[in-house]
């Protein structure tokens, strides 16, 4: 099965909504193309945030936030760019598996 593209996913959504005309680009100037361009990314991120999808997992090294404090927390890190959802935070090489309690205070990214 070929990998789905943004365009093919939008066309499937349009077809399910009863739209017979397919779009060929996300920059399509039709009303349907504009709707896809407007809502696709929001819907994609929403779905990625709702579940721990194995295909979307990645391990990142967090960067410490400078000049930022959070009451009740010893450390504050920047929210990594391109991350839809943080599932867990783990320790360093000495204790890589044990989850560390965390709370996302802001999803403002750094890059």
């Amino acid at each position: 099965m070929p990998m789905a593209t943004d365009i093919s996913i939008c066309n499937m959504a349009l077809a399910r909504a009863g739209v017979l005309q397919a779009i060929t680009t996300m920059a399509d100037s039709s009303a349907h193309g504009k709707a896809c361009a407007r809502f696709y990314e929001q819907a994609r991120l929403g779905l990625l945030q709702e579940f721990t999808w194995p295909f979307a997992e990645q391990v990142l090294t967090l960067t410490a936030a400078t000049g930022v404090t959070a009451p009740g927390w010893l450390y504050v890190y920047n929210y990594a760019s391109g991350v839809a959802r943080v599932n867990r935070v783990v320790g360093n090489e000495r204790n890589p598996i044990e989850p560390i309690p965390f709370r996302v205070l802001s999803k403002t990214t750094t890059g």
Side-chain angles (χ1 to χ4, degrees):
M1 178 178 215
M3 188 167 174
T5 65
D6 297 352
I7 302 299
S8 67
I9 293 168
C10 285
N11 282 325
M12 284 187 276
L14 289 170
R16 297 230 9 175
V19 176
L20 301 178
Q21 175 111 17
I23 63 170
T24 56
T25 175
M26 291 299 275
D28 192 300
S29 62
S30 70
H32 301 117
K34 288 177 182 177
C36 285
R38 180 174 178 197
F39 296 112
Y40 176 78
E41 186 65 13
Q42 177 182 343
R44 185 185 73 83
L45 284 174
L47 285 171
L48 285 172
Q49 290 171 349
E50 286 193 22
F51 183 75
T52 303
W53 302 99
F55 69 86
E57 288 184 358
Q58 49 182 329
V59 176
L60 303 170
T61 300
L62 299 175
T63 58
T66 55
V68 179
T69 60
W73 297 93
L74 293 176
Y75 304 99
V76 179
Y77 297 95
N78 294 311
Y79 200 90
S81 178
V83 172
R85 171 183 166 170
V86 177
N87 295 318
R88 67 182 174 180
V89 175
V90 295
N92 57 25
E93 298 83 31
R94 287 178 278 150
N95 190 8
I97 304 298
E98 189 67 29
I100 298 170
F102 73 95
R103 191 169 103 200
V104 175
L105 300 173
S106 172
K107 287 188 179 181
T108 303
T109 61
T110 61

